[in-house]
Amino acid sequence: MVRQERALRTRRLILEAAASVFDEFGYEGATIGEVVSRAGVTRGAVYFHFASKRDLAQGVVEEQFVQDGVPERSCKLQEFVDTGMVVAYLMPRDPLLSAGARLSLGQDLFDDLGSGAIPGWVSRFEVLLTAAGERGELLPHVVPADTAWLLVAAWTGVQIQSQKLSGRADLESRVSALYQHLMPSIAVPGVLGSLQMGPNRGAQVVAEAAAARAAAEDGGPAVDPAPGGESRGDSRGTGGPVRAEVPTEIGVG
């Protein structure tokens, strides 16, 4: 068990180092040597876990789906919004997400990496929308698969423009605007009025998840959220600033 845990930690260390290298240099410019240097491991350790640079890139893309950093909600459309907002919050802060996006959008890598993370995100959003439909949260015309595809395509476009124009400094506000334009066309009025989708929403959810993990590790009671199991804060995210450690994984995302 100790050896297995050590191997998992080493693998994670390698992936984090690889993500920073891919994010900085792109796939073609990245080298195993630079990954070895940043991870502080031997070349043999890298090749023990990953047979090639291509496998390493695939590992970076897939790692974002290992664990989910978004709490489950009784309102699945809120969970749908939270997933996108948490990724917007983490993207400038987590090299794994940032590198995953860069690798997924590399046109020359589509054949090797199977379109990267995009199919995974479409599938995740489709599952949430399907559950929302089963709970009566969606307008009758909404087709979950179509809406999931469109959301991921639009989110990706927003991310690219934000990266080019502001270095992702405005990504959270831009993704918030995307949701505020999209949700009235898919959510029933009773649910729409309760959705929290302001620019601060991602930070609020990350703080909530971090507090819940800390409470679980301490053996104490879970953090008491606002009524209905949702984080406090109005629907436009105008609550006060939230400080929290950035989790290392998100499947969101």
Side-chain angles (χ1 to χ4, degrees):
M1 288 295 295
V2 172
R3 183 176 298 178
Q4 184 179 20
E5 291 175 3
R6 188 185 305 119
L8 289 174
R9 287 196 299 270
T10 300
R11 183 180 188 277
R12 176 72 189 190
L13 184 66
I14 293 168
L15 284 172
E16 290 176 347
S20 69
V21 174
F22 285 129
D23 198 31
E24 183 175 345
F25 298 106
Y27 181 81
E28 293 300 330
T31 65
I32 296 295
E34 184 64 24
V35 174
V36 167
S37 176
R38 294 194 187 190
V41 299
T42 64
R43 186 176 291 266
V46 173
Y47 283 115
F48 174 81
H49 291 280
F50 304 98
S52 64
K53 186 168 75 168
R54 184 267 181 199
D55 284 349
L56 192 52
Q58 186 71 51
V60 169
V61 169
E62 293 175 352
E63 186 69 9
Q64 59 195 288
F65 298 110
V66 170
Q67 294 187 16
D68 196 340
V70 178
E72 185 175 352
R73 308 292 187 193
S74 57
C75 176
K76 290 303 171 181
L77 282 185
Q78 184 64 66
E79 195 173 336
F80 174 72
V81 171
D82 287 353
T83 300
M85 291 306 304
V86 165
V87 176
Y89 174 78
L90 293 178
M91 183 73 75
R93 299 168 171 86
D94 185 350
L96 275 166
L97 279 173
S98 184
R102 179 166 183 170
L103 291 169
S104 297
L105 296 173
Q107 296 293 327
D108 57 333
L109 293 179
F110 276 178
D111 290 339
D112 276 352
L113 300 184
S115 299
I118 293 172
W121 286 116
V122 172
S123 176
R124 172 160 298 187
F125 284 121
E126 182 179 351
V127 168
L128 289 172
L129 289 168
T130 298
E134 293 170 350
R135 287 164 170 75
E137 299 172 11
L138 297 179
L139 293 171
H141 69 272
V142 177
V143 178
D146 293 346
T147 301
W149 193 97
L150 288 170
L151 184 278
V152 172
W155 201 108
T156 300
V158 168
Q159 188 274 138
I160 291 172
Q161 289 298 93
S162 177
Q163 170 68 17
K164 288 181 177 295
L165 299 177
S166 72
R168 297 197 184 110
D170 64 350
L171 182 57
E172 291 170 84
S173 64
R174 298 297 185 183
V175 173
S176 172
L178 171 62
Y179 274 114
Q180 291 177 38
H181 280 77
L182 171 67
M183 299 313 289
S185 68
I186 70 170
V188 298
V191 172
L192 179 63
S194 69
L195 293 178
Q196 300 180 45
M197 44 188 172
N200 294 335
R201 180 61 183 174
Q204 292 168 353
V205 176
V206 167
E208 176 191 350
R213 284 196 302 275
E217 290 170 0
D218 293 341
V223 175
D224 181 26
E230 314 299 350
S231 298
R232 292 179 176 85
D234 66 33
S235 63
R236 300 304 175 192
T238 56
V242 176
R243 295 180 182 176
E245 289 187 16
V246 177
T248 55
E249 297 100 11
I250 172 107
V252 277

